Amino acid sequence: IVSKKLFEIKNRICGLIKLNKTTNSYNKNPIERLGFLFSQINEFICYYLCGMIDYMVVGLGLAGTAFCETLRRNNKSFVVFNDKSQTSSRVAGGLYNPIILKRFTLSWKADEQLAVAVDFYKQLEQFLNIQFDEKLSVLRKFASIEEQNLWFEAADKKSLKPYLDTRLVSNNNSELKVPFEFGKVLETGKLDTKVLFDGYIKWLQQEKKIYLETFDYNELKILPNSVSYKGVKAKNIVFA
């Protein structure tokens, strides 16, 4: 493990030197290069001689999972403390929908969030070799012809056009009364949160990055530049 970390540090240093040479700044920034070298030496000392990691994460719901995965993709070291007390994310419907269906308006920053979320979960599916993102249609039942007209008006707007289908959907369920048909929302889906969490916890266990126990706040020690908990030392702690 130590050899692997040294190899990573060596690659980072060589990468910086290569970048500086490419940009004609190799001989102009000796202080910057020296600072980078010391930061890597400090990382090695903290992680392997002092046993310190970058982040201690408490909780593994949707927020905790997304945060840990972001840490992994950015080569940050971390461990997770999680018990079975957080059930809201696990039993969540997992539905994502860019439209507020009461007034046919766009959700807050829907374009930005949807673009990030879809790509994020697609990469996570590939990494874990599982499938938990199901493309699922969302239908809006119309109560009147007036609501149909409001739907079509909204669909003409530039911001809403990618998400509102102008083709009405007929009712095929005999148990429902839908005299004015449905409007179909596009770019919607559903996360199977159970499959997601089970898959991510399995990977964390394989990597020895998770403690399946209740976090005892009385055991947490806040130090000037780090935190310590039951022998685990970290530069930062995040309650997710």
Side-chain angles (χ1 to χ4, degrees):
I1 297 175
V2 174
S3 298
K4 181 180 179 181
K5 188 62 178 180
L6 284 172
F7 183 72
E8 292 176 359
I9 292 173
K10 185 265 292 182
N11 282 344
R12 293 181 195 175
I13 296 171
C14 290
L16 181 67
I17 292 173
K18 182 178 179 181
L19 175 63
N20 285 336
K21 284 183 176 179
T22 304
T23 58
N24 264 338
S25 60
Y26 180 71
N27 294 320
K28 296 180 181 179
N29 294 306
I31 295 178
E32 179 185 342
R33 290 187 285 114
L34 188 60
F36 180 83
L37 175 61
F38 279 125
S39 71
Q40 296 304 297
I41 293 173
N42 178 66
E43 179 180 341
F44 174 78
I45 292 173
C46 287
Y47 189 80
Y48 290 104
L49 301 186
C50 302
M52 187 178 295
I53 57 176
D54 291 316
Y55 287 88
M56 186 185 302
V57 182
V58 182
L60 196 69
L62 284 169
T65 300
F67 183 71
C68 289
E69 179 59 11
T70 302
L71 292 177
R72 182 192 70 81
R73 296 182 188 183
N74 287 276
N75 299 312
K76 299 297 183 181
S77 56
F78 66 93
V79 296
V80 181
F81 288 87
N82 186 63
D83 59 15
K84 295 183 179 180
S85 64
Q86 289 190 337
T87 58
S88 57
S89 288
R90 185 172 283 270
V91 301
L95 185 70
Y96 54 89
N97 167 30
I99 300 297
I100 299 173
L101 292 174
K102 184 176 181 180
R103 301 184 185 281
F104 310 146
T105 54
L106 199 63
S107 299
W108 182 72
K109 293 190 175 182
D111 291 323
E112 299 174 38
Q113 295 189 68
L114 196 61
V116 172
V118 170
D119 183 63
F120 179 87
Y121 288 121
K122 181 179 180 181
Q123 290 185 44
L124 186 53
E125 282 184 321
Q126 294 172 347
F127 173 69
L128 297 174
N129 195 27
I130 59 175
Q131 184 174 354
F132 54 81
D133 185 2
E134 175 188 358
K135 301 309 175 186
L136 184 70
S137 297
V138 171
L139 302 179
R140 168 60 153 84
K141 176 186 173 183
F142 296 129
S144 64
I145 293 295
E146 287 75 20
E147 276 200 336
Q148 282 187 0
N149 292 334
L150 289 174
W151 178 273
F152 291 129
E153 287 178 15
D156 282 336
K157 296 179 181 178
K158 184 178 179 180
S159 62
L160 296 172
K161 197 168 187 177
Y163 306 113
L164 299 182
D165 196 334
T166 54
R167 296 167 296 181
L168 298 181
V169 178
S170 299
N171 176 37
N172 295 320
N173 189 332
S174 60
E175 301 299 320
L176 297 177
K177 293 182 180 180
V178 190
F180 301 102
E181 301 184 289
F182 295 102
K184 182 179 179 181
V185 184
L186 306 175
E187 305 299 332
T188 58
K190 176 182 180 295
L191 300 181
D192 189 328
T193 53
K194 183 180 185 303
V195 174
L196 166 59
F197 295 136
D198 289 347
Y200 204 73
I201 288 174
K202 181 180 179 181
W203 174 78
L204 289 171
Q205 289 176 316
Q206 291 173 346
E207 297 294 319
K208 297 182 174 18
K209 290 181 176 289
I210 188 168
Y211 295 85
L212 297 175
E213 60 182 63
T214 300
F215 192 84
D216 184 356
Y217 295 91
N218 294 321
E219 295 287 336
L220 178 63
K221 297 178 182 178
I222 308 295
L223 306 174
N225 297 306
S226 62
V227 296
S228 175
Y229 178 78
K230 292 185 177 181
V232 178
K233 299 177 183 178
K235 299 175 185 177
N236 308 279
I237 184 168
V238 173
F239 295 93

